[in-house]
């Protein structure tokens, strides 16, 4: 739970700093729960819930990952996410589907919503936050 709380705050802080392009949940490469922020003109930071898509291993499905594409001018989000997957780091584990049915990441009215549910010892805890990117 502490790990998920830290991850929610970390992602929220990075979203606040996110400039340029912000996107996600378009299933690049088949990964359904994802978001990215361009934090400067040279880097695109991705967050995603692990998923196996064909021959591509994007990590374990109960883990939330972060990775950076250092050349975000790639022709497609699929290539950008694959580059980020090459240097992925685990942020939180024990991630399960949100009981609300909401995706982990959502965009509405200029806000980024983050909702993580973790399960440990048959108990579920849901953390939610909304942030507005500043740039």
């Amino acid at each position: 739970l502490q790990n998920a709380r830290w991850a929610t705050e970390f992602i929220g802080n990075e979203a606040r700093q996110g400039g340029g392009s912000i996107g996600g949940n378009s299933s690049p490469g088949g990964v359904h729960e994802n978001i990215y922020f361009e934090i400067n003109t040279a880097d695109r930071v991705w967050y995603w819930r692990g998923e196996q898509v064909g021959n591509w291993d994007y990590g374990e499905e109960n883990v939330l990952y972060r990775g950076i594409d250092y050349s975000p001018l790639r022709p497609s989000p699929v290539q950008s996410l694959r580059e980020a997957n090459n240097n992925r780091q685990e942020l939180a584990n024990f991630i399960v589907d949100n009981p609300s049915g909401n995706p982990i990441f959502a965009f509405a009215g200029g806000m980024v919503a983050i909702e993580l549910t973790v399960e440990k010892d048959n108990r579920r805890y849901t953390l939610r936050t909304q942030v507005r990117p500043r740039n």
Side-chain angles (χ1 to χ4, degrees):
L1 183 59
Q2 182 178 5
N3 197 7
R5 186 178 300 127
W6 176 87
T8 302
E9 186 173 325
F10 186 85
I11 297 167
N13 286 337
E14 210 152 54
R16 282 184 194 93
Q17 298 171 13
S21 170
I22 297 175
N25 288 334
S26 61
S27 301
V31 176
H32 295 92
E33 303 218 44
N34 65 80
I35 192 170
Y36 66 82
F37 309 105
E38 289 180 359
I39 55 173
N40 58 44
T41 58
D43 300 332
R44 180 179 289 164
V45 176
W46 284 86
Y47 294 93
W48 69 94
R49 181 175 171 185
E51 190 170 347
Q52 181 73 34
V53 181
N55 293 331
W56 286 92
D57 178 10
Y58 291 98
E60 300 294 323
E61 76 174 48
N62 68 339
V63 176
L64 187 67
Y65 295 96
R66 176 185 187 268
I68 299 176
D69 176 5
Y70 293 103
S71 287
L73 300 177
R74 295 182 195 287
S76 75
V78 173
Q79 290 173 322
S80 182
L81 177 58
R82 286 180 179 165
E83 178 64 26
N85 188 48
N86 289 333
N87 60 59
R88 72 180 183 219
Q89 300 170 322
E90 184 177 313
L91 283 187
N93 49 21
F94 303 109
I95 304 296
V96 296
D97 292 335
N98 289 323
S100 64
N102 293 335
I104 292 175
F105 308 109
F107 312 99
M111 300 287 284
V112 174
I114 304 163
E115 182 175 334
L116 292 179
T117 299
V118 295
E119 180 176 45
K120 182 73 172 155
D121 300 326
N122 294 322
R123 298 188 72 182
R124 288 188 174 196
Y125 304 92
T126 300
L127 303 146
R128 293 181 189 100
T129 190
Q130 288 187 327
V131 296
R132 182 175 309 279
R134 293 185 183 153
N135 297 327

